[in-house]
């Protein structure tokens, strides 16, 4: 996540997704979280980012 969104934004997104993975699934599906996951998985890294 931090390679796609470096800095504080990537850190916050990473923490939120990890927290949802650990606890949020108990609260039911979240369309916003699932849309974020789909976006992250569909967004290709730039060639120089993939090697990092």
């Amino acid at each position: 996540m931090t390679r796609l969104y470096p800095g504080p934004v990537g850190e916050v997104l990473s923490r939120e997704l990890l927290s949802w993975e650990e606890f949020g699934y108990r609260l039911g599906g979240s369309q916003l979280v699932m849309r974020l996951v789909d976006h992250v998985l569909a967004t290709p890294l730039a060639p120089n980012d993939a090697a990092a």
Side-chain angles (χ1 to χ4, degrees), residues 6-27:
V9 172
E11 185 65 30
V12 168
L13 288 173
S14 179
R15 288 182 186 192
E16 287 296 318
L17 286 176
L18 290 173
S19 294
W20 187 85
E21 178 185 35
E22 191 169 339
F23 301 110
Y25 71 92
R26 296 178 187 163
L27 303 173

Side-chain angles (χ1 to χ4, degrees), residues 2-45:
T2 55
R3 284 189 271 165
L4 183 58
Y5 296 105
V9 172
E11 185 65 30
V12 168
L13 288 173
S14 179
R15 288 182 186 192
E16 287 296 318
L17 286 176
L18 290 173
S19 294
W20 187 85
E21 178 185 35
E22 191 169 339
F23 301 110
Y25 71 92
R26 296 178 187 163
L27 303 173
S30 171
Q31 289 185 4
L32 179 59
V33 171
M34 296 313 298
R35 287 192 341 241
L36 176 60
V37 170
D38 289 342
H39 168 77
V40 169
L41 292 175
T43 305
L45 291 174

